[in-house]
Amino acid sequence: MRRGLSFWLQLAFTVLVAAFLVVPVVLSMLAGVTQNYMRGLSSGVTLKWVGEVLALYQGTIGLSLLVAAATLLATLLVGVPAAWVMVRHPSRWTRAFEEIITLPVAVPGLAIALALILVYGGVREFRASWLFILVGHVLYTLPFMVRAVMAVLQSIDARTMEEGAASLGASAWQRFITVIVPNARPGILAGALMVVTLSLGEFNLTWMLHTPLTKTLPVGLADSYASMRLEIASAYTLIFFVMIIPLLVAIQIVGAGAPRSKAPRKSS
């Protein structure tokens, strides 16, 4: 089958856009393993800058992983049951609740952070701990978990499945654990992907909520670009990608291998 001129034009445009987005990232990561950025790779390859980043900013990396894991756990514990309740009992109240939890997505992160500071900033121990950042991340990422799980549950007619299990004598807890959660797995995995990546990369909200002792990876990255050599900042970028890309690939693989329920076919 011969491809027309429009196909090649679209392909060329796609390649150019991809190059425009990818090339700066690649060059930034390469700068993190060169002896001297101004001379490029001809100056030699080194891991010295990576070592300096780990020595200076290892605390920010560990804290980011801790906050992301805690955010994922919190959104799972809150988001999955909430999604099921809204699918199981649709009403104007559940629709209103859905809109309310979606507000943090529409409101700028700086505004959310300022609201949290105004309300809870007076609690000194809480304000100075990483739990303060965790609250902001949960508020920001919860809608992504809820929407992803709701979309799957609505597509497979989970209400009918749950009612069938109830007719067989299963309790509400048994129905949720053995029927709803397994069938919602694709949505849970998709929501987990979004929650973890958003938490690891969130900067605006975190920048307002952090203290000198609670810097996360993106805040440390901004600090390194502002106050360190460009090679160190680029090495920090390299570490960020080395951290997040395997995580994304692993979640994608798990999501692709997870059994997916199909919506029942209507009889003709």
Side-chain angles (χ1 to χ4, degrees):
M1 181 179 178
R2 294 185 60 184
R3 294 184 172 91
L5 178 62
S6 62
F7 169 81
W8 296 110
L9 290 174
Q10 292 173 20
L11 178 61
F13 178 76
T14 302
V15 171
L16 286 173
V17 171
F20 179 79
L21 297 173
V22 173
V23 169
V25 176
V26 173
L27 292 178
S28 177
M29 290 190 294
L30 286 176
V33 293
T34 57
Q35 291 281 1
N36 189 301
Y37 170 74
M38 301 305 295
R39 293 171 55 195
L41 290 176
S42 61
S43 64
V45 177
T46 180
L47 293 178
K48 176 178 68 174
W49 309 120
V50 174
E52 290 201 24
V53 170
L54 293 176
L56 292 170
Y57 295 103
Q58 61 179 337
T60 67
I61 297 171
L63 181 59
S64 282
L65 292 173
L66 175 62
V67 171
T71 301
L72 176 59
L73 179 61
T75 53
L76 285 172
L77 292 177
V78 176
V80 177
W84 170 232
V85 169
M86 286 189 283
V87 170
R88 186 69 178 83
H89 304 286
S91 67
R92 61 180 180 177
W93 300 109
T94 56
R95 287 193 296 271
F97 179 73
E98 183 181 356
E99 295 301 324
I100 289 172
I101 65 171
T102 307
L103 281 177
V105 178
V107 176
L110 293 176
I112 299 172
L114 180 59
L116 289 174
I117 291 172
L118 290 174
V119 176
Y120 303 111
V123 185
R124 189 171 181 179
E125 293 77 11
F126 182 46
R127 175 70 180 91
S129 74
W130 64 272
L131 295 174
F132 198 55
I133 297 175
L134 173 63
V135 172
H137 281 215
V138 171
L139 288 175
Y140 181 67
T141 58
L142 183 61
F144 295 92
M145 177 65 75
V146 172
R147 285 292 180 88
V149 176
M150 284 184 66
V152 171
L153 292 177
Q154 289 169 342
S155 67
I156 62 174
D157 194 10
R159 292 182 63 185
T160 302
M161 295 182 181
E162 192 260 355
E163 289 169 358
S167 68
L168 296 174
S171 65
W173 177 250
Q174 289 174 326
R175 298 196 299 271
F176 179 74
I177 294 298
T178 62
V179 177
I180 301 306
V181 171
N183 282 283
R185 190 178 304 168
I188 293 173
L189 290 170
L193 169 63
M194 290 184 283
V195 166
V196 172
T197 53
L198 287 170
S199 179
L200 285 176
E202 166 54 38
F203 172 76
N204 292 332
L205 185 148
T206 311
W207 183 78
M208 282 284 288
L209 296 180
H210 89 281
T211 68
L213 298 178
T214 57
K215 288 184 179 180
T216 61
L217 195 152
V219 176
L221 181 59
D223 179 70
S224 69
Y225 271 101
S227 59
M228 299 290 177
R229 286 187 57 162
L230 185 60
E231 291 87 350
I232 293 181
S234 298
Y236 203 147
T237 303
L238 176 61
I239 291 175
F240 178 79
F241 278 99
V242 168
M243 247 178 59
I244 201 168
I245 289 177
L247 174 64
L248 296 178
V249 172
I251 295 178
Q252 292 278 18
I253 292 173
V254 172
R260 296 176 181 268
S261 301
K262 296 181 178 179
R265 297 180 179 178
K266 294 182 180 180
S267 57
S268 56

